[in-house]
Amino acid sequence: MLTPPSEAAQAGLAQPLLAPQSVAIVGQSNDAAKTAGRPLKYLRQAGYGGRIYPINAHRETVLGERAWPSLAALPEAPDHVYIVTSTEAAVEAVEECGRLGVKIATVLADGFTEAGAAGLAHVARLRAVTAHSGLRIVGPSSLGVVNLRAKVMLTANAAFDEHPLPVGRIFAASHSGGMIGALLSRGAARGIAFAGLVSVGNEVDLSLGEICAATLADPAIAGYMLFLESLRHADALRAFALAAAQCDKPILAYKLGRSLEARDLAVSHTGALAGEDDVAEAFFTDCGIARVDTLDALIEGLPLLERVPMAKIAARLPRVGVVTTTAGGATMAVDPLAMRGVGIEPPSAETLARLAAAGIAVKPARLIDLTLAGTRYESMKAALDVLVTAPEFDLVLAVVGSSARFHSDLAVKPIIDCAGSAKPIAAYLVPDAPTALAALSQAGVPNFRTPEACADAIAAALRRRAPRLLAAPVQSAGSRKGTWLDELETYGLLDRLGIARAPAIAIEADVTHAPALPFPYPVAVKALAAGIAHKTDIGGVALGVFDQNGLLAAIRQIRANVAERRPGTAVDRVLVQPMVSGLGEVLIGYRVDCDVGPIVMVAVGGVFTEIYRDRSLRLAPVDLSIAHEMIAQVRGLATLGGYRGGPAGDLAALAQAIVALSRLAVMEGPTVLEAEINPLIVRPAPLGVVAVDALVKLIV
Amino acid sequence: MLTPPSEAAQAGLAQPLLAPQSVAIVGQSNDAAKTAGRPLKYLRQAGYGGRIYPINAHRETVLGERAWPSLAALPEAPDHVYIVTSTEAAVEAVEECGRLGVKIATVLADGFTEAGAAGLAHVARLRAVTAHSGLRIVGPSSLGVVNLRAKVMLTANAAFDEHPLPVGRIFAASHSGGMIGALLSRGAARGIAFAGLVSVGNEVDLSLGEICAATLADPAIAGYMLFLESLRHADALRAFALAAAQCDKPILAYKLGRSLEARDLAVSHTGALAGEDDVAEAFFTDCGIARVDTLDALIEGLPLLERVPMAKIAARLPRVGVVTTTAGGATMAVDPLAMRGVGIEPPSAETLARLAAAGIAVKPARLIDLTLAGTRYESMKAALDVLVTAPEFDLVLAVVGSSARFHSDLAVKPIIDCAGSAKPIAAYLVPDAPTALAALSQAGVPNFRTPEACADAIAAALRRRAPRLLAAPVQSAGSRKGTWLDELETYGLLDRLGIARAPAIAIEADVTHAPALPFPYPVAVKALAAGIAHKTDIGGVALGVFDQNGLLAAIRQIRANVAERRPGTAVDRVLVQPMVSGLGEVLIGYRVDCDVGPIVMVAVGGVFTEIYRDRSLRLAPVDLSIAHEMIAQVRGLATLGGYRGGPAGDLAALAQAIVALSRLAVMEGPTVLEAEINPLIVRPAPLGVVAVDALVKLIV
């Protein structure tokens, strides 16, 4: 996990995959209206220049061409074979591809990872082929591979049935086969065109990340558009993202699964496990992948992403300057921008003075509203000239009202005339204005159809960071088993990490006289046994014990409670600690996630953690600046920052504890699968933080 | 406030406003490219059949027609005058309209409510005219009034410069003048057409609600599309909404201001105060107005809204059945639906059996995925036939993949063939498929361009309720002053309302011997003085006081704290109460909102109330069923419902307390402007709830 795919494995992949000299269609139908009839029709329609071998065991000809009876009967081993038969025949065809030395087989059929035991048996047969031959497989459940420049149309997607198709500089990869048709056609309607598109299917061999990585050397590809159903093969995706960042090729992703319901569907649809969405979000952030929430932003966002440089780390919230001829229309974009944490601030005094000097009368408000100045070329041009050189803005958004529909010379042309400025400009036209939009696209000005897609893409672009180079990779937990440490052992680990924790001593549970304690009463008393995750729920904790008699009573009560509520768990020892109080309670956690590997988390402690899902995650390890950023992301932690004039908690110490916990990812010694400090008491600065309970699970 | 506009005032408004026999354009320019040149051009272009009087004091002719020197020089008082001059001249023209007996003047100029003292002086002059004549004013800052059937094109919006414009059955009203051009043109691009559109401007006289209400009797208008910048003149809007519900004409609204930044803009743009967004949301809910969050859903949503009946009250979450030929594409719509609280549940066993009997093999998942069945007319038709009669679904969403682009006979035609079913059907086509979309629209099947707009409109339609008829209306607080009760007086009010509260006695703060208490220690001691809103913040509270000496010490400390932190506030008495504990703390509140009048609120108590904005509001008064619905809406209150196997709080008593507090809206006696019980302690059922602190502000 998180290791880059072998370069040797990548070498030579791009050519047979995307620019094959020869292709075969196994199962090509004679009926071009059928799914299995489409590939040959599309290849001919597009004018593919390589050799095409339609294979149909039951016919002499298909669609008027010679049909071959089998792969074995061909005069050569084709570079790339698209198998459009049903499942069982597809497995046999893959096996034949392996025997014949075919380089790539793309498989349309379903009935594999999502199809229970029978499906997994099919998968095993495919894997046996790739293990023992040079064959690489795309799919199964792949609607195909398309290279529009080379006219390679190995697809059965119904939306590709037109000619000519526009050729562009974007490479699209999708878990959903249907979506390659949606991206192609919706893009075409907006002047957004593709170099290639691939439906990666269930990725039993080649993963989405590997396929995209194989195209990175292609200078004709400027950026990547990903449609993800879940976060699978995150290691390859991460390796691709890092390499793409080095080539300065942006990646824009849409991922299903914000809701539990959608994650459920991903499971039943593909058989993949769907991890929590904010884990995926953290992964994208740390990989420099911009993520959008709307389909339109996915389709329209790359031109903007290409123009917005990746930040190393956000020193402050990104800020957008908005100039408009329609305040109401512009506010439609401001609302979703602000909800996404992008600042819409008034211009600086200096910028206002420069606007005034340019003859633009505006109020010192969050919008540069040209209503008073009038919808004229000169006003918009002068305002843009000032804004693109105003240092307080990271990006300028121009919103044009009704004039854009028939009079683009007034307020759209000035945007086009500023297209060359160093600062990114985005445009949103409030009316339906296809001509003006096309002119903006032609001039290279990123533009958006809806205020929501506009805000979504701007926020994604401004939030994107350079990918972090993580320290030594750690293997994913997968399904490996773990073993719990008891609390005292856990504290030993915290001591190694340098995370302050409450003093603790263990006492035999059958004592008849309370021993002297190395700290004063009142104390907390807890059952001490590995694997009791929710001690409180089974009566395993007594708090605020005031004296020796109380201590003995507490021990008796804890033993009785646990015996009753968790029969079979013996409480031989208890842990005694001083009571610790502070300004608030925080949960910090670490785990080796099954998708993305080691992650670290900070969240509000207590009962609301689960209800509000108010937490921040990152790939581990993190440094102090990222830890502070995580703290700032958790809304509930605002109460610890000197809320309403109250004392401020020691957030510096909290950040240090997050960093320390995240170092489990690179620590020598036994591999920690999971660690949770809950609660970590945050005291007023500079008194630090103190762990008062913790759980750790080691790999077996 | 909340009184319906006088019917007499409405009578006769529609004709001069929307179907005038004669119109004048004051300030009509000779240059049709200028804003002031457009109205005459548009009227002629459209072929308006009434009498047109262009008025220009400086020219004999404008755009080749006779120009009149003044309104006074006309042979008649026109029904409707559009004044497109600058501010000062516009005020004078309005005054002349008043003198001449004109019925409607629409004013384009700005410089009124948003323009400080000078602007307010202008407003006063307009109001003087309406007070002393029969003139009604639209605007100022109105881009005009358009009736497409009657070819009344009294607008200066640049997007209306085409002919012919499609005529439809929707009436649009907008605070933003630019938006009428956006709605018209974006609608036209989707086959959504309008009966009329009006830019209501700053509503110094006719409000948006009054204007819409004036059109309700028009049988050619089927529904309303509102673009709101803030919630102004809520009384008229509510009266309109109630009347519209009686006529069975749905209202779909988009309102700016989810974010603080956007609310800020509304203030600087129009001079209107922008209330909190969830107050507006509660208002819409209680008025039966469906609210969407996206521009596309506003434009595309009415056909769906017309087909979804208004629920009386939601007995359960609304449920959508989803059938698709592309699981990935459909999940794009499921994700935002689920995030909006719409349930996407698997079909019932009976429905699955019926599907199987119809030859449709599907998994028992949340989607009816026809991938296995194949993209064929028969599969989709059979599946739809089952789903539209499946009682577990309130609406059926059909999502069609790539075939929709060129082969609408396969999976789009069956949707069209089910258009007549009693259950609402919505369609989302994943690829760009303009021909299929047009066919769906033609057949009356609500359809959507994006998964986000689709989900937004479906959720808004399914959540819409019949408007509540509130008891006796109460005046809005406006800017009226209030006076605070002290806590003991406040408890008197709670006693009248029947809300349980902790026992309390007042003690003189200069006692030297603690009196006997009618309840046991430990007790809480609080400064007792009207108008101390945050007693804790100034050291005015001592909790857990154990005995008489502690009580005296607490009183001394409280007096010292308040003297130091709030000099000038004398603490002559303290309130003593027993300590009360429960499962959790809730805040319930009531206030007469400046926009919408009396509202009642429930929220999580404590420090997180403000951070998570996790609260539920309704217009007051409410009944028990609505109170329970409010409790269910507050996520944090899940902790009181038997969370994680813990004891359940007395939510029935909480609901009763909400109802009781909301009755302040209709209680005899002094008018309460604001009341807050914080905290209200919720005890385990059936032990009730207990108010342990409260604040009340009466009108002066």
Side-chain angles (χ1 to χ4, degrees):
Chain A
M1 186 112 206
L2 297 190
T3 47
S6 131
E7 292 198 13
Q10 301 272 341
L13 188 57
Q15 182 269 320
L17 179 68
L18 286 158
Q21 303 283 318
S22 53
V23 300
I25 318 295
V26 175
Q28 171 68 44
S29 162
N30 188 48
D31 181 350
K34 287 192 173 162
T35 301
R38 291 175 188 147
L40 179 57
K41 181 186 181 198
Y42 294 171
L43 283 162
R44 291 300 178 203
Q45 197 161 275
Y48 170 64
R51 297 176 296 284
I52 305 178
Y53 302 105
I55 295 178
N56 185 320
H58 309 294
R59 297 183 56 90
E60 299 272 299
T61 63
V62 286
L63 304 183
E65 298 193 25
R66 171 178 180 181
W68 300 77
S70 68
L71 283 167
L74 301 183
E76 64 176 321
D79 281 351
H80 191 149
V81 174
Y82 192 19
I83 301 166
V84 297
T85 64
S86 60
T87 312
E88 178 59 34
V91 174
E92 286 165 15
V94 166
E95 287 168 342
E96 182 137 88
C97 286
R99 285 191 294 272
L100 295 171
V102 169
K103 293 176 186 130
I104 302 282
T106 296
V107 178
L108 173 66
D110 54 18
F112 292 85
T113 52
E114 81 290 2
L120 292 179
H122 289 138
V123 172
R125 286 172 64 188
L126 300 189
R127 292 225 167 104
V129 176
T130 55
H132 297 104
S133 73
L135 183 73
R136 302 303 304 268
I137 298 172
V138 177
S141 288
S142 168
L143 270 175
V145 176
V146 171
N147 178 346
L148 290 159
R149 296 157 302 165
K151 306 174 199 309
V152 176
M153 306 292 293
L154 292 173
T155 180
N157 185 301
F160 285 75
D161 194 2
E162 59 188 314
H163 179 74
L165 287 166
V167 178
R169 303 179 68 227
I170 296 171
F171 191 82
S174 173
H175 282 152
S176 160
M179 287 308 298
I180 63 170
L183 298 178
L184 177 88
S185 58
R186 287 176 175 257
R190 288 160 166 75
I192 302 278
F194 296 84
L197 306 95
V198 59
S199 154
V200 302
N202 290 355
E203 302 171 287
V204 303
D205 178 30
L206 284 171
S207 70
L208 185 146
E210 287 172 282
I211 290 169
C212 289
T215 71
L216 272 172
D218 186 339
I221 291 173
Y224 293 84
M225 194 185 282
L226 309 184
F227 184 92
L228 307 177
E229 291 183 346
S230 60
L231 205 57
R232 321 194 290 245
H233 306 287
D235 49 352
L237 185 53
R238 179 167 164 77
F240 158 60
L242 266 61
Q246 285 178 335
C247 309
D248 211 15
K249 296 188 178 187
I251 307 172
L252 189 59
Y254 175 103
K255 181 190 159 288
L256 294 174
R258 292 242 180 236
S259 68
L260 181 65
E261 288 81 352
R263 292 199 294 279
D264 249 24
L265 286 173
V267 174
S268 70
H269 175 44
T270 64
L273 279 174
E276 290 160 297
D277 192 70
D278 59 355
V279 173
E281 187 85 23
F283 174 83
F284 293 136
T285 300
D286 280 337
C287 290
I289 295 174
R291 181 191 188 179
V292 288
D293 295 330
T294 61
L295 176 59
D296 278 348
L298 177 67
I299 292 170
E300 299 174 344
L302 265 174
L304 182 67
L305 207 55
E306 287 182 48
R307 280 162 189 76
V308 177
M310 281 196 285
K312 283 291 178 200
I313 184 146
R316 56 168 173 78
L317 284 185
R319 281 193 215 132
V320 173
V322 183
V323 57
T324 188
T325 65
T326 168
T331 308
M332 280 196 296
V334 166
D335 230 340
L337 270 173
M339 299 299 278
R340 286 171 162 84
V342 175
I344 312 289
E345 298 297 330
S348 68
E350 193 195 333
T351 300
L352 281 172
R354 288 175 61 211
L355 285 166
I360 312 291
V362 295
K363 296 184 198 172
R366 293 179 196 261
L367 282 184
I368 317 292
D369 182 356
L370 300 181
T371 304
L372 288 179
T375 301
R376 294 180 300 114
Y377 178 92
E378 295 72 22
S379 317
M380 181 60 98
K381 183 68 168 61
L384 283 171
D385 284 342
V386 170
L387 292 179
V388 296
T389 52
E392 67 268 35
F393 298 125
D394 301 302
L395 182 146
V396 175
L397 170 62
V399 180
V400 181
S402 293
S403 70
R405 183 154 170 85
F406 300 116
H407 305 286
S408 63
D409 49 313
L410 297 178
V412 176
K413 184 155 190 302
I415 307 171
I416 289 171
D417 291 348
C418 288
S421 76
K423 184 161 297 177
I425 301 181
Y428 161 54
L429 310 183
V430 182
D432 186 58
T435 312
L437 288 170
L440 287 165
S441 293
Q442 180 69 27
V445 179
N447 58 83
F448 300 90
R449 257 65 178 167
T450 65
E452 297 84 17
C454 179
D456 191 11
I458 288 175
L462 291 177
R463 277 194 310 238
R464 187 171 62 125
R465 307 282 182 67
R468 281 202 294 134
L469 295 171
L470 296 175
V474 173
Q475 291 185 317
S476 151
S479 57
R480 278 182 291 168
K481 291 237 169 82
T483 178
W484 293 99
L485 299 185
D486 73 27
E487 194 171 338
L488 207 55
E489 295 164 332
T490 293
Y491 285 142
L493 183 69
L494 297 190
D495 293 345
R496 278 182 64 198
L497 291 169
I499 297 173
R501 47 91 179 179
I505 64 161
I507 299 179
E508 297 300 317
D510 55 5
V511 288
T512 49
H513 297 282
L517 300 179
F519 36 75
Y521 286 90
V523 297
V525 187
K526 309 175 195 170
L528 180 58
I532 305 187
H534 295 285
K535 284 188 285 281
T536 308
D537 293 356
I538 55 168
V541 178
L543 298 177
V545 173
F546 269 90
D547 55 23
Q548 290 187 321
N549 285 338
L551 177 55
L552 290 176
I555 295 172
R556 281 193 301 272
Q557 188 63 51
I558 286 171
R559 294 185 88 179
N561 289 344
V562 175
E564 183 193 335
R565 302 188 204 170
R566 180 85 55 91
T569 300
V571 179
D572 298 327
R573 295 191 299 166
V574 297
L575 198 73
V576 181
Q577 296 178 291
M579 292 296 291
V580 177
S581 65
L583 290 178
E585 299 187 352
V586 172
L587 181 163
I588 67 177
Y590 167 89
R591 77 165 192 262
V592 183
D593 182 78
C594 60
D595 289 322
V596 305
I599 55 175
V600 64
M601 172 176 80
V602 57
V604 176
V607 71
F608 291 124
T609 305
E610 213 166 299
I611 287 177
Y612 294 116
R613 304 289 292 173
D614 184 17
R615 61 187 200 177
S616 177
L617 296 144
R618 289 291 187 283
L619 302 187
V622 297
D623 62 18
L624 272 177
S625 65
I626 295 196
H628 276 290
E629 200 181 77
M630 293 172 71
I631 293 168
Q633 271 183 352
V634 181
R635 288 180 299 155
L637 295 185
T639 56
L640 298 178
Y643 190 68
R644 279 191 177 173
D650 197 337
L651 297 182
L654 174 58
Q656 277 159 358
I658 294 167
V659 169
L661 190 66
S662 81
R663 310 260 334 141
L664 284 173
V666 290
M667 195 179 62
E668 297 289 323
T671 299
V672 174
L673 283 179
E674 203 175 323
E676 183 178 290
I677 301 177
N678 183 19
L680 181 73
I681 304 287
V682 179
R683 302 204 283 196
L687 301 179
V689 295
V690 185
V692 298
D693 203 352
L695 279 171
V696 166
K697 191 189 208 179
L698 297 184
I699 206 163
V700 174
Chain B
M1 188 110 206
L2 298 190
T3 46
S6 131
E7 290 197 14
Q10 301 271 342
L13 188 57
Q15 182 269 320
L17 179 69
L18 287 158
Q21 303 283 318
S22 54
V23 301
I25 317 295
V26 176
Q28 171 68 44
S29 162
N30 189 46
D31 181 352
K34 285 191 174 163
T35 301
R38 291 175 190 146
L40 180 57
K41 181 186 180 198
Y42 294 171
L43 283 163
R44 291 301 178 201
Q45 198 162 271
Y48 169 64
R51 297 176 295 283
I52 305 178
Y53 301 104
I55 295 179
N56 184 318
H58 308 295
R59 296 184 56 91
E60 299 273 300
T61 64
V62 287
L63 305 182
E65 299 193 24
R66 171 176 179 183
W68 299 76
S70 68
L71 283 166
L74 301 183
E76 64 176 322
D79 280 351
H80 191 150
V81 175
Y82 191 20
I83 301 167
V84 298
T85 65
S86 60
T87 312
E88 178 59 33
V91 174
E92 286 165 17
V94 166
E95 287 167 341
E96 184 138 87
C97 285
R99 284 191 295 272
L100 295 172
V102 168
K103 291 174 188 135
I104 302 281
T106 296
V107 178
L108 172 66
D110 55 17
F112 292 84
T113 51
E114 82 290 3
L120 293 180
H122 288 139
V123 171
R125 287 173 64 190
L126 300 189
R127 293 223 166 105
V129 176
T130 55
H132 298 103
S133 74
L135 183 73
R136 303 303 306 265
I137 298 173
V138 177
S141 288
S142 168
L143 271 174
V145 175
V146 171
N147 179 346
L148 289 159
R149 297 157 300 164
K151 305 176 200 308
V152 177
M153 305 292 293
L154 292 173
T155 179
N157 186 302
F160 285 75
D161 194 3
E162 58 187 314
H163 179 75
L165 287 167
V167 178
R169 303 180 68 228
I170 296 171
F171 191 82
S174 172
H175 282 152
S176 160
M179 288 309 298
I180 62 170
L183 299 178
L184 177 88
S185 58
R186 287 176 175 258
R190 287 159 166 77
I192 301 280
F194 295 85
L197 305 97
V198 58
S199 154
V200 302
N202 290 354
E203 302 171 286
V204 303
D205 178 30
L206 283 171
S207 69
L208 186 145
E210 287 171 281
I211 291 169
C212 289
T215 70
L216 273 172
D218 187 338
I221 292 174
Y224 292 83
M225 194 184 282
L226 310 185
F227 184 92
L228 307 177
E229 292 183 347
S230 60
L231 205 57
R232 319 194 293 245
H233 306 286
D235 47 353
L237 186 53
R238 179 167 165 77
F240 158 60
L242 267 62
Q246 285 178 335
C247 310
D248 211 14
K249 297 190 177 187
I251 306 172
L252 188 60
Y254 175 103
K255 180 189 160 289
L256 294 174
R258 291 240 182 238
S259 69
L260 181 65
E261 288 80 352
R263 291 200 294 278
D264 249 26
L265 286 172
V267 174
S268 69
H269 175 42
T270 63
L273 280 174
E276 291 160 296
D277 192 70
D278 57 356
V279 173
E281 187 85 24
F283 174 82
F284 292 136
T285 300
D286 280 337
C287 290
I289 295 174
R291 181 192 187 177
V292 288
D293 295 330
T294 61
L295 176 59
D296 278 348
L298 177 67
I299 292 170
E300 299 174 344
L302 265 174
L304 182 66
L305 207 55
E306 287 182 50
R307 280 163 188 75
V308 178
M310 280 195 287
K312 284 290 178 201
I313 185 145
R316 56 167 172 79
L317 283 185
R319 284 195 211 128
V320 173
V322 184
V323 57
T324 187
T325 65
T326 167
T331 309
M332 280 196 295
V334 166
D335 229 339
L337 270 173
M339 298 299 277
R340 285 172 163 83
V342 175
I344 312 290
E345 298 297 327
S348 68
E350 192 197 335
T351 301
L352 280 172
R354 289 176 61 213
L355 285 166
I360 311 290
V362 296
K363 298 184 198 172
R366 293 178 196 261
L367 281 185
I368 317 293
D369 182 357
L370 301 181
T371 305
L372 288 178
T375 301
R376 295 180 300 116
Y377 177 92
E378 294 72 22
S379 318
M380 180 61 97
K381 183 69 168 61
L384 282 171
D385 284 341
V386 171
L387 291 180
V388 297
T389 51
E392 67 267 36
F393 299 125
D394 301 302
L395 182 147
V396 175
L397 170 62
V399 180
V400 181
S402 293
S403 70
R405 184 156 169 83
F406 300 116
H407 305 286
S408 61
D409 49 315
L410 297 177
V412 175
K413 184 155 189 304
I415 306 171
I416 289 172
D417 292 347
C418 289
S421 76
K423 185 161 296 179
I425 301 182
Y428 161 56
L429 309 183
V430 183
D432 186 58
T435 311
L437 288 170
L440 287 165
S441 293
Q442 180 69 29
V445 179
N447 58 84
F448 299 92
R449 258 68 182 166
T450 65
E452 297 83 17
C454 179
D456 191 9
I458 289 175
L462 291 178
R463 276 193 312 238
R464 187 171 62 125
R465 307 282 181 68
R468 281 203 293 133
L469 294 172
L470 295 176
V474 173
Q475 289 186 316
S476 151
S479 56
R480 278 182 293 168
K481 291 237 167 82
T483 178
W484 293 100
L485 299 185
D486 73 27
E487 194 171 339
L488 207 55
E489 295 164 333
T490 293
Y491 285 140
L493 183 69
L494 297 190
D495 293 344
R496 277 184 65 199
L497 291 169
I499 297 174
R501 47 91 180 180
I505 63 159
I507 300 179
E508 297 299 318
D510 55 5
V511 289
T512 50
H513 296 282
L517 300 179
F519 37 75
Y521 286 91
V523 295
V525 187
K526 309 174 195 171
L528 179 59
I532 305 186
H534 294 286
K535 286 189 283 284
T536 309
D537 294 355
I538 55 167
V541 178
L543 298 177
V545 174
F546 269 91
D547 54 22
Q548 290 188 320
N549 285 338
L551 176 55
L552 291 175
I555 294 172
R556 280 193 301 274
Q557 188 63 52
I558 285 171
R559 295 186 87 182
N561 288 345
V562 175
E564 184 192 333
R565 301 187 207 170
R566 181 83 57 90
T569 301
V571 178
D572 297 329
R573 295 190 300 167
V574 295
L575 198 73
V576 181
Q577 297 177 289
M579 293 297 291
V580 176
S581 65
L583 289 179
E585 299 188 353
V586 172
L587 182 163
I588 67 176
Y590 168 89
R591 76 164 191 265
V592 183
D593 183 77
C594 60
D595 289 323
V596 305
I599 55 176
V600 64
M601 172 175 81
V602 57
V604 176
V607 70
F608 290 124
T609 305
E610 214 166 299
I611 288 177
Y612 294 116
R613 304 290 290 173
D614 184 17
R615 61 186 198 176
S616 178
L617 295 145
R618 288 291 187 285
L619 301 186
V622 296
D623 62 18
L624 271 177
S625 67
I626 296 200
H628 277 291
E629 198 182 79
M630 293 174 71
I631 293 168
Q633 270 184 354
V634 180
R635 289 181 296 155
L637 295 185
T639 56
L640 298 178
Y643 190 67
R644 278 190 176 174
D650 197 338
L651 297 182
L654 173 58
Q656 276 158 358
I658 293 168
V659 169
L661 190 66
S662 81
R663 308 247 352 128
L664 284 173
V666 289
M667 194 179 64
E668 298 289 324
T671 299
V672 174
L673 282 179
E674 204 175 321
E676 184 178 289
I677 302 177
N678 184 17
L680 180 73
I681 304 288
V682 179
R683 302 203 284 195
L687 301 178
V689 295
V690 186
V692 299
D693 203 351
L695 278 172
V696 166
K697 192 190 209 177
L698 297 185
I699 206 162
V700 174

